[in-house]
Amino acid sequence: MTAQLIDGNALARQVRTEVAGRVAALKQRGITPHLSVILVGDNPASMVYVRNKVADSEQTGLKATLERYPAAFAQAELLARIRALNVDPDVHGILVQLPLPPHMDAQAVIETIAPEKDVDGFHVASAGALMIGRPGFRPCTPYGCMRMLDSIGYSLKAKHAVVIGRSNIVGKPMALMLLAQNATVTICHSATLDLAHHTRDADVVVAAVGKRNVLTADMVKPGAVVIDVGMNRDDHGKLCGDVDFAGVSQVAGWITPVPGGVGPMTRAMLLVNTIEAAQTAHQTGSK
Ligand code: GUN
């Protein structure tokens, strides 16, 4: 392996320590940052995710409340619950775990969250703020990727960044964040004709497709930074990303592992957004 590893676990620990310091300072003023998490249904992966989010929050000193509702819960009732949380001054962040059951309109649910409590950064107001370069909550996964690039002192100015994937949660906001740092950005997706043509020219590749081996060694420019957002299982049931780690780490300059890369950073940036929400609510924040 020639690439240097960007250790998401270590960096996330550092971020959590920073957040814990900010939480302690707020608590001294009688303010307890509070994240409210809503889970509808019993998707096993979602249950693991929300438990981790609550545990991370509590470990960092934030209060976290988990509300669970059955899969058959009416959307109107969910919206009423979100509206109640919107006006609860003790709640600073609201997160509705996705996916929602098929009878619900996920975007309508997200739009019901007050933008100042949208710690996932999925509200159209947050997406719009990112689009035009205004302050607002950034989606946690691309935000975490940016923090990883920052951790290696990487300047994106005039670099070519290729994002593979165009989801609202990762691909699109990732591209906008890279653009905001003056990268030249290419977004590739399922209809891209020659993916390797683009990635071979890239100084930075972010793979966010949800498919194994989307990026292999022959597709990477020597020395490039490779960030793997994927979360898949290999033939032995082992967790793996979108990148052929063994091969690409022979060519890349920097690479993030799976597990222990982007995943822990996504969780850490949720805590950052929540402390920002609490600070802004009490007018001490820098946002
Ligand atoms: N489902 C998968 N990832 C996420 C996330 O980051 N936020 C929410 N709310 N749901 C998810």
Side-chain angles (χ1 to χ4, degrees):
M1 164 156 167
T2 59
Q4 297 193 60
L5 211 62
I6 307 178
D7 184 344
N9 282 322
L11 188 57
R13 258 194 305 277
Q14 199 179 310
V15 172
R16 282 197 300 272
T17 302
E18 285 165 25
V19 172
R22 294 170 70 183
V23 171
L26 271 184
K27 280 186 169 172
Q28 285 205 329
R29 298 177 47 223
I31 302 155
T32 301
H34 181 183
L35 171 67
S36 190
V37 180
I38 297 177
L39 174 62
V40 184
D42 48 15
N43 179 313
S46 291
M47 285 199 274
V48 173
Y49 288 139
V50 296
R51 269 193 221 117
N52 287 337
K53 288 170 187 181
V54 170
D56 285 353
S57 301
E58 288 172 348
Q59 194 216 331
T60 318
L62 295 113
K63 180 178 172 185
T65 312
L66 173 60
E67 295 181 24
R68 290 195 57 185
Y69 299 105
F73 198 51
Q75 176 165 316
E77 284 190 68
L78 177 60
L79 299 189
R81 188 62 201 126
I82 292 170
R83 289 192 187 103
L85 294 171
N86 282 345
V87 295
D88 182 343
D90 291 335
V91 171
H92 303 103
I94 303 169
L95 182 150
V96 179
Q97 186 66 25
L98 303 176
L100 284 166
H103 68 280
M104 288 193 183
D105 175 351
Q107 199 58 37
V109 171
I110 290 164
E111 300 315 337
T112 306
I113 298 171
E116 67 273 17
K117 298 190 180 186
D118 173 40
V119 288
D120 252 334
F122 294 168
H123 194 288
V124 72
S126 303
L130 171 59
M131 177 89 182
I132 64 169
R134 296 286 291 262
F137 293 112
R138 305 306 192 222
C140 300
T141 297
Y143 196 13
C145 294
M146 293 306 285
R147 182 75 191 242
M148 292 178 114
L149 287 169
D150 192 50
S151 77
I152 60 167
Y154 194 82
S155 170
L156 285 156
K157 189 173 177 186
K159 299 291 195 332
H160 182 203
V162 170
V163 179
I164 316 174
R166 54 175 159 177
S167 71
N168 290 336
I169 292 178
V170 184
K172 282 187 228 171
M174 185 79 246
L176 288 167
M177 287 185 211
L178 293 163
L179 180 65
Q181 296 291 317
N182 296 311
T184 299
V185 182
T186 302
I187 305 177
C188 297
H189 46 79
S190 50
T192 297
L193 280 184
D194 188 354
L195 178 61
H197 165 78
H198 299 286
T199 58
R200 272 190 210 115
D201 183 59
D203 303 298
V204 177
V205 182
V206 180
V209 177
K211 217 170 93 187
R212 285 164 56 197
N213 296 330
V214 158
L215 193 74
T216 48
D218 56 305
M219 299 167 71
V220 175
K221 178 157 97 175
V225 182
V226 175
I227 298 186
D228 191 349
V229 179
M231 192 73 90
N232 314 296
R233 298 263 168 201
D234 69 13
D235 294 335
H236 309 286
K238 227 179 94 201
L239 210 57
C240 66
D242 289 352
V243 174
D244 169 25
F245 184 87
V248 171
S249 57
Q250 302 297 322
V251 182
W254 294 88
I255 191 165
T256 70
V258 179
V262 173
M265 286 305 294
T266 296
R267 288 163 58 180
M269 298 323 277
L270 174 64
L271 306 177
V272 171
N273 279 348
T274 305
I275 187 74
E276 285 286 343
Q279 286 196 314
T280 305
H282 293 276
Q283 324 234 291
T284 60
S286 52
K287 275 170 75 77

PDB file of all heavy atoms in Angstrom, residues 135-164:
ATOM      1  N   PRO A 135     -24.831  30.587   4.746  1.00  0.00           N
ATOM      2  CA  PRO A 135     -24.736  29.683   5.899  1.00  0.00           C
ATOM      3  C   PRO A 135     -25.992  28.844   6.043  1.00  0.00           C
ATOM      4  O   PRO A 135     -27.084  29.285   5.676  1.00  0.00           O
ATOM      5  CB  PRO A 135     -24.603  30.640   7.094  1.00  0.00           C
ATOM      6  CG  PRO A 135     -24.227  31.954   6.531  1.00  0.00           C
ATOM      7  CD  PRO A 135     -24.769  32.001   5.137  1.00  0.00           C
ATOM      8  N   GLY A 136     -25.846  27.663   6.570  1.00  0.00           N
ATOM      9  CA  GLY A 136     -26.975  26.749   6.767  1.00  0.00           C
ATOM     10  C   GLY A 136     -26.419  25.390   7.115  1.00  0.00           C
ATOM     11  O   GLY A 136     -25.205  25.177   7.042  1.00  0.00           O
ATOM     12  N   PHE A 137     -27.298  24.468   7.484  1.00  0.00           N
ATOM     13  CA  PHE A 137     -26.830  23.134   7.833  1.00  0.00           C
ATOM     14  C   PHE A 137     -26.417  22.385   6.570  1.00  0.00           C
ATOM     15  O   PHE A 137     -27.140  22.361   5.574  1.00  0.00           O
ATOM     16  CB  PHE A 137     -27.924  22.365   8.570  1.00  0.00           C
ATOM     17  CG  PHE A 137     -28.223  22.956   9.910  1.00  0.00           C
ATOM     18  CD1 PHE A 137     -29.434  23.568  10.162  1.00  0.00           C
ATOM     19  CD2 PHE A 137     -27.262  22.943  10.916  1.00  0.00           C
ATOM     20  CE1 PHE A 137     -29.699  24.147  11.395  1.00  0.00           C
ATOM     21  CE2 PHE A 137     -27.513  23.514  12.156  1.00  0.00           C
ATOM     22  CZ  PHE A 137     -28.743  24.123  12.388  1.00  0.00           C
ATOM     23  N   ARG A 138     -25.248  21.758   6.634  1.00  0.00           N
ATOM     24  CA  ARG A 138     -24.749  20.956   5.523  1.00  0.00           C
ATOM     25  C   ARG A 138     -25.020  19.477   5.809  1.00  0.00           C
ATOM     26  O   ARG A 138     -24.815  19.027   6.949  1.00  0.00           O
ATOM     27  CB  ARG A 138     -23.243  21.172   5.339  1.00  0.00           C
ATOM     28  CG  ARG A 138     -22.819  22.642   5.171  1.00  0.00           C
ATOM     29  CD  ARG A 138     -23.558  23.346   4.061  1.00  0.00           C
ATOM     30  NE  ARG A 138     -22.967  24.646   3.719  1.00  0.00           N
ATOM     31  CZ  ARG A 138     -23.664  25.745   3.460  1.00  0.00           C
ATOM     32  NH1 ARG A 138     -24.986  25.737   3.543  1.00  0.00           N
ATOM     33  NH2 ARG A 138     -23.065  26.868   3.121  1.00  0.00           N
ATOM     34  N   PRO A 139     -25.444  18.704   4.808  1.00  0.00           N
ATOM     35  CA  PRO A 139     -25.665  17.268   5.022  1.00  0.00           C
ATOM     36  C   PRO A 139     -24.394  16.607   5.593  1.00  0.00           C
ATOM     37  O   PRO A 139     -23.278  16.901   5.156  1.00  0.00           O
ATOM     38  CB  PRO A 139     -26.001  16.743   3.631  1.00  0.00           C
ATOM     39  CG  PRO A 139     -26.559  17.929   2.916  1.00  0.00           C
ATOM     40  CD  PRO A 139     -25.780  19.115   3.445  1.00  0.00           C
ATOM     41  N   CYS A 140     -24.604  15.750   6.580  1.00  0.00           N
ATOM     42  CA  CYS A 140     -23.490  15.281   7.421  1.00  0.00           C
ATOM     43  C   CYS A 140     -22.424  14.490   6.658  1.00  0.00           C
ATOM     44  O   CYS A 140     -21.233  14.587   6.973  1.00  0.00           O
ATOM     45  CB  CYS A 140     -24.047  14.438   8.559  1.00  0.00           C
ATOM     46  SG  CYS A 140     -25.195  15.369   9.589  1.00  0.00           S
ATOM     47  N   THR A 141     -22.821  13.685   5.659  1.00  0.00           N
ATOM     48  CA  THR A 141     -21.821  12.851   4.981  1.00  0.00           C
ATOM     49  C   THR A 141     -20.852  13.705   4.147  1.00  0.00           C
ATOM     50  O   THR A 141     -19.628  13.617   4.341  1.00  0.00           O
ATOM     51  CB  THR A 141     -22.500  11.756   4.142  1.00  0.00           C
ATOM     52  OG1 THR A 141     -23.225  10.904   5.028  1.00  0.00           O
ATOM     53  CG2 THR A 141     -21.485  10.932   3.377  1.00  0.00           C
ATOM     54  N   PRO A 142     -21.338  14.544   3.230  1.00  0.00           N
ATOM     55  CA  PRO A 142     -20.371  15.376   2.496  1.00  0.00           C
ATOM     56  C   PRO A 142     -19.626  16.353   3.401  1.00  0.00           C
ATOM     57  O   PRO A 142     -18.435  16.632   3.175  1.00  0.00           O
ATOM     58  CB  PRO A 142     -21.231  16.102   1.459  1.00  0.00           C
ATOM     59  CG  PRO A 142     -22.640  15.923   1.868  1.00  0.00           C
ATOM     60  CD  PRO A 142     -22.698  14.683   2.696  1.00  0.00           C
ATOM     61  N   TYR A 143     -20.301  16.835   4.437  1.00  0.00           N
ATOM     62  CA  TYR A 143     -19.641  17.723   5.408  1.00  0.00           C
ATOM     63  C   TYR A 143     -18.456  16.985   6.050  1.00  0.00           C
ATOM     64  O   TYR A 143     -17.353  17.536   6.196  1.00  0.00           O
ATOM     65  CB  TYR A 143     -20.690  18.123   6.448  1.00  0.00           C
ATOM     66  CG  TYR A 143     -20.392  19.308   7.330  1.00  0.00           C
ATOM     67  CD1 TYR A 143     -19.357  20.198   7.068  1.00  0.00           C
ATOM     68  CD2 TYR A 143     -21.198  19.557   8.460  1.00  0.00           C
ATOM     69  CE1 TYR A 143     -19.128  21.282   7.906  1.00  0.00           C
ATOM     70  CE2 TYR A 143     -20.979  20.628   9.296  1.00  0.00           C
ATOM     71  CZ  TYR A 143     -19.938  21.487   9.020  1.00  0.00           C
ATOM     72  OH  TYR A 143     -19.722  22.551   9.855  1.00  0.00           O
ATOM     73  N   GLY A 144     -18.679  15.721   6.403  1.00  0.00           N
ATOM     74  CA  GLY A 144     -17.612  14.906   6.987  1.00  0.00           C
ATOM     75  C   GLY A 144     -16.474  14.662   6.001  1.00  0.00           C
ATOM     76  O   GLY A 144     -15.300  14.674   6.374  1.00  0.00           O
ATOM     77  N   CYS A 145     -16.821  14.465   4.721  1.00  0.00           N
ATOM     78  CA  CYS A 145     -15.782  14.278   3.687  1.00  0.00           C
ATOM     79  C   CYS A 145     -14.923  15.539   3.570  1.00  0.00           C
ATOM     80  O   CYS A 145     -13.693  15.445   3.424  1.00  0.00           O
ATOM     81  CB  CYS A 145     -16.426  13.962   2.336  1.00  0.00           C
ATOM     82  SG  CYS A 145     -17.281  12.379   2.284  1.00  0.00           S
ATOM     83  N   MET A 146     -15.570  16.701   3.629  1.00  0.00           N
ATOM     84  CA  MET A 146     -14.811  17.955   3.542  1.00  0.00           C
ATOM     85  C   MET A 146     -13.864  18.080   4.727  1.00  0.00           C
ATOM     86  O   MET A 146     -12.720  18.523   4.592  1.00  0.00           O
ATOM     87  CB  MET A 146     -15.766  19.155   3.496  1.00  0.00           C
ATOM     88  CG  MET A 146     -16.611  19.233   2.234  1.00  0.00           C
ATOM     89  SD  MET A 146     -15.677  19.204   0.689  1.00  0.00           S
ATOM     90  CE  MET A 146     -15.008  20.856   0.665  1.00  0.00           C
ATOM     91  N   ARG A 147     -14.345  17.666   5.878  1.00  0.00           N
ATOM     92  CA  ARG A 147     -13.507  17.735   7.079  1.00  0.00           C
ATOM     93  C   ARG A 147     -12.297  16.785   6.941  1.00  0.00           C
ATOM     94  O   ARG A 147     -11.201  17.073   7.406  1.00  0.00           O
ATOM     95  CB  ARG A 147     -14.376  17.386   8.288  1.00  0.00           C
ATOM     96  CG  ARG A 147     -13.715  17.437   9.620  1.00  0.00           C
ATOM     97  CD  ARG A 147     -13.487  18.868  10.110  1.00  0.00           C
ATOM     98  NE  ARG A 147     -12.621  18.835  11.252  1.00  0.00           N
ATOM     99  CZ  ARG A 147     -12.947  19.258  12.478  1.00  0.00           C
ATOM    100  NH1 ARG A 147     -14.106  19.821  12.680  1.00  0.00           N
ATOM    101  NH2 ARG A 147     -12.098  19.171  13.469  1.00  0.00           N
ATOM    102  N   MET A 148     -12.512  15.657   6.269  1.00  0.00           N
ATOM    103  CA  MET A 148     -11.407  14.712   6.054  1.00  0.00           C
ATOM    104  C   MET A 148     -10.351  15.329   5.124  1.00  0.00           C
ATOM    105  O   MET A 148      -9.147  15.200   5.364  1.00  0.00           O
ATOM    106  CB  MET A 148     -11.933  13.400   5.457  1.00  0.00           C
ATOM    107  CG  MET A 148     -12.784  12.612   6.426  1.00  0.00           C
ATOM    108  SD  MET A 148     -13.436  11.098   5.680  1.00  0.00           S
ATOM    109  CE  MET A 148     -12.572   9.878   6.669  1.00  0.00           C
ATOM    110  N   LEU A 149     -10.814  16.015   4.083  1.00  0.00           N
ATOM    111  CA  LEU A 149      -9.867  16.680   3.169  1.00  0.00           C
ATOM    112  C   LEU A 149      -9.103  17.771   3.918  1.00  0.00           C
ATOM    113  O   LEU A 149      -7.890  17.927   3.768  1.00  0.00           O
ATOM    114  CB  LEU A 149     -10.622  17.286   1.975  1.00  0.00           C
ATOM    115  CG  LEU A 149     -11.137  16.276   0.946  1.00  0.00           C
ATOM    116  CD1 LEU A 149     -12.093  16.945  -0.039  1.00  0.00           C
ATOM    117  CD2 LEU A 149      -9.964  15.648   0.190  1.00  0.00           C
ATOM    118  N   ASP A 150      -9.819  18.497   4.754  1.00  0.00           N
ATOM    119  CA  ASP A 150      -9.211  19.559   5.547  1.00  0.00           C
ATOM    120  C   ASP A 150      -8.151  18.977   6.486  1.00  0.00           C
ATOM    121  O   ASP A 150      -7.099  19.583   6.709  1.00  0.00           O
ATOM    122  CB  ASP A 150     -10.345  20.248   6.336  1.00  0.00           C
ATOM    123  CG  ASP A 150      -9.870  21.527   6.966  1.00  0.00           C
ATOM    124  OD1 ASP A 150      -9.265  22.336   6.248  1.00  0.00           O
ATOM    125  OD2 ASP A 150     -10.088  21.711   8.186  1.00  0.00           O
ATOM    126  N   SER A 151      -8.421  17.782   7.010  1.00  0.00           N
ATOM    127  CA  SER A 151      -7.516  17.184   7.999  1.00  0.00           C
ATOM    128  C   SER A 151      -6.146  16.851   7.410  1.00  0.00           C
ATOM    129  O   SER A 151      -5.169  16.716   8.148  1.00  0.00           O
ATOM    130  CB  SER A 151      -8.136  15.918   8.595  1.00  0.00           C
ATOM    131  OG  SER A 151      -8.025  14.833   7.685  1.00  0.00           O
ATOM    132  N   ILE A 152      -6.085  16.682   6.088  1.00  0.00           N
ATOM    133  CA  ILE A 152      -4.770  16.407   5.471  1.00  0.00           C
ATOM    134  C   ILE A 152      -4.199  17.680   4.839  1.00  0.00           C
ATOM    135  O   ILE A 152      -3.229  17.630   4.088  1.00  0.00           O
ATOM    136  CB  ILE A 152      -4.845  15.250   4.436  1.00  0.00           C
ATOM    137  CG1 ILE A 152      -5.823  15.574   3.294  1.00  0.00           C
ATOM    138  CG2 ILE A 152      -5.232  13.945   5.113  1.00  0.00           C
ATOM    139  CD1 ILE A 152      -5.702  14.624   2.104  1.00  0.00           C
ATOM    140  N   GLY A 153      -4.853  18.802   5.134  1.00  0.00           N
ATOM    141  CA  GLY A 153      -4.354  20.092   4.639  1.00  0.00           C
ATOM    142  C   GLY A 153      -4.456  20.218   3.134  1.00  0.00           C
ATOM    143  O   GLY A 153      -3.645  20.897   2.503  1.00  0.00           O
ATOM    144  N   TYR A 154      -5.468  19.569   2.555  1.00  0.00           N
ATOM    145  CA  TYR A 154      -5.579  19.520   1.097  1.00  0.00           C
ATOM    146  C   TYR A 154      -6.287  20.762   0.558  1.00  0.00           C
ATOM    147  O   TYR A 154      -7.411  21.054   0.951  1.00  0.00           O
ATOM    148  CB  TYR A 154      -6.354  18.263   0.685  1.00  0.00           C
ATOM    149  CG  TYR A 154      -6.245  17.941  -0.776  1.00  0.00           C
ATOM    150  CD1 TYR A 154      -5.145  17.257  -1.263  1.00  0.00           C
ATOM    151  CD2 TYR A 154      -7.233  18.356  -1.669  1.00  0.00           C
ATOM    152  CE1 TYR A 154      -5.032  16.972  -2.617  1.00  0.00           C
ATOM    153  CE2 TYR A 154      -7.113  18.073  -3.019  1.00  0.00           C
ATOM    154  CZ  TYR A 154      -6.018  17.383  -3.478  1.00  0.00           C
ATOM    155  OH  TYR A 154      -5.904  17.104  -4.822  1.00  0.00           O
ATOM    156  N   SER A 155      -5.643  21.479  -0.326  1.00  0.00           N
ATOM    157  CA  SER A 155      -6.274  22.642  -0.951  1.00  0.00           C
ATOM    158  C   SER A 155      -6.959  22.208  -2.252  1.00  0.00           C
ATOM    159  O   SER A 155      -6.327  21.632  -3.131  1.00  0.00           O
ATOM    160  CB  SER A 155      -5.234  23.713  -1.267  1.00  0.00           C
ATOM    161  OG  SER A 155      -5.836  24.712  -2.084  1.00  0.00           O
ATOM    162  N   LEU A 156      -8.243  22.502  -2.359  1.00  0.00           N
ATOM    163  CA  LEU A 156      -9.009  22.074  -3.537  1.00  0.00           C
ATOM    164  C   LEU A 156      -8.923  23.072  -4.685  1.00  0.00           C
ATOM    165  O   LEU A 156      -9.380  22.774  -5.796  1.00  0.00           O
ATOM    166  CB  LEU A 156     -10.472  21.862  -3.148  1.00  0.00           C
ATOM    167  CG  LEU A 156     -10.706  20.576  -2.344  1.00  0.00           C
ATOM    168  CD1 LEU A 156     -11.959  20.675  -1.503  1.00  0.00           C
ATOM    169  CD2 LEU A 156     -10.797  19.384  -3.296  1.00  0.00           C
ATOM    170  N   LYS A 157      -8.342  24.201  -4.420  1.00  0.00           N
ATOM    171  CA  LYS A 157      -8.306  25.253  -5.430  1.00  0.00           C
ATOM    172  C   LYS A 157      -7.657  24.750  -6.725  1.00  0.00           C
ATOM    173  O   LYS A 157      -6.540  24.211  -6.701  1.00  0.00           O
ATOM    174  CB  LYS A 157      -7.528  26.456  -4.888  1.00  0.00           C
ATOM    175  CG  LYS A 157      -7.614  27.669  -5.769  1.00  0.00           C
ATOM    176  CD  LYS A 157      -6.991  28.863  -5.108  1.00  0.00           C
ATOM    177  CE  LYS A 157      -7.043  30.046  -6.058  1.00  0.00           C
ATOM    178  NZ  LYS A 157      -6.331  31.193  -5.521  1.00  0.00           N
ATOM    179  N   ALA A 158      -8.382  24.882  -7.814  1.00  0.00           N
ATOM    180  CA  ALA A 158      -7.893  24.511  -9.150  1.00  0.00           C
ATOM    181  C   ALA A 158      -7.702  23.005  -9.346  1.00  0.00           C
ATOM    182  O   ALA A 158      -7.173  22.575 -10.365  1.00  0.00           O
ATOM    183  CB  ALA A 158      -6.610  25.256  -9.494  1.00  0.00           C
ATOM    184  N   LYS A 159      -8.134  22.212  -8.375  1.00  0.00           N
ATOM    185  CA  LYS A 159      -8.043  20.761  -8.520  1.00  0.00           C
ATOM    186  C   LYS A 159      -9.289  20.227  -9.244  1.00  0.00           C
ATOM    187  O   LYS A 159     -10.341  20.873  -9.241  1.00  0.00           O
ATOM    188  CB  LYS A 159      -7.933  20.084  -7.147  1.00  0.00           C
ATOM    189  CG  LYS A 159      -6.714  20.491  -6.351  1.00  0.00           C
ATOM    190  CD  LYS A 159      -5.458  19.951  -6.975  1.00  0.00           C
ATOM    191  CE  LYS A 159      -4.233  19.990  -6.091  1.00  0.00           C
ATOM    192  NZ  LYS A 159      -4.140  20.997  -5.061  1.00  0.00           N
ATOM    193  N   HIS A 160      -9.142  19.075  -9.859  1.00  0.00           N
ATOM    194  CA  HIS A 160     -10.293  18.434 -10.504  1.00  0.00           C
ATOM    195  C   HIS A 160     -10.867  17.384  -9.555  1.00  0.00           C
ATOM    196  O   HIS A 160     -10.163  16.432  -9.195  1.00  0.00           O
ATOM    197  CB  HIS A 160      -9.869  17.791 -11.839  1.00  0.00           C
ATOM    198  CG  HIS A 160     -11.006  17.150 -12.572  1.00  0.00           C
ATOM    199  ND1 HIS A 160     -10.827  16.160 -13.502  1.00  0.00           N
ATOM    200  CD2 HIS A 160     -12.338  17.361 -12.513  1.00  0.00           C
ATOM    201  CE1 HIS A 160     -12.006  15.785 -13.979  1.00  0.00           C
ATOM    202  NE2 HIS A 160     -12.942  16.507 -13.389  1.00  0.00           N
ATOM    203  N   ALA A 161     -12.097  17.590  -9.130  1.00  0.00           N
ATOM    204  CA  ALA A 161     -12.761  16.628  -8.233  1.00  0.00           C
ATOM    205  C   ALA A 161     -13.864  15.921  -9.006  1.00  0.00           C
ATOM    206  O   ALA A 161     -14.671  16.562  -9.673  1.00  0.00           O
ATOM    207  CB  ALA A 161     -13.338  17.353  -7.021  1.00  0.00           C
ATOM    208  N   VAL A 162     -13.874  14.610  -8.916  1.00  0.00           N
ATOM    209  CA  VAL A 162     -14.937  13.819  -9.551  1.00  0.00           C
ATOM    210  C   VAL A 162     -15.783  13.170  -8.468  1.00  0.00           C
ATOM    211  O   VAL A 162     -15.256  12.474  -7.596  1.00  0.00           O
ATOM    212  CB  VAL A 162     -14.350  12.758 -10.503  1.00  0.00           C
ATOM    213  CG1 VAL A 162     -15.435  11.779 -10.965  1.00  0.00           C
ATOM    214  CG2 VAL A 162     -13.711  13.425 -11.712  1.00  0.00           C
ATOM    215  N   VAL A 163     -17.079  13.441  -8.519  1.00  0.00           N
ATOM    216  CA  VAL A 163     -18.029  12.822  -7.584  1.00  0.00           C
ATOM    217  C   VAL A 163     -18.788  11.755  -8.361  1.00  0.00           C
ATOM    218  O   VAL A 163     -19.367  12.056  -9.416  1.00  0.00           O
ATOM    219  CB  VAL A 163     -19.012  13.874  -7.019  1.00  0.00           C
ATOM    220  CG1 VAL A 163     -20.016  13.222  -6.073  1.00  0.00           C
ATOM    221  CG2 VAL A 163     -18.252  14.993  -6.311  1.00  0.00           C
ATOM    222  N   ILE A 164     -18.756  10.534  -7.866  1.00  0.00           N
ATOM    223  CA  ILE A 164     -19.526   9.468  -8.519  1.00  0.00           C
ATOM    224  C   ILE A 164     -20.788   9.251  -7.688  1.00  0.00           C
ATOM    225  O   ILE A 164     -20.711   8.799  -6.548  1.00  0.00           O
ATOM    226  CB  ILE A 164     -18.724   8.156  -8.621  1.00  0.00           C
ATOM    227  CG1 ILE A 164     -17.280   8.424  -9.081  1.00  0.00           C
ATOM    228  CG2 ILE A 164     -19.406   7.189  -9.583  1.00  0.00           C
ATOM    229  CD1 ILE A 164     -16.393   7.175  -9.053  1.00  0.00           C
TER     230      ILE A 164
END
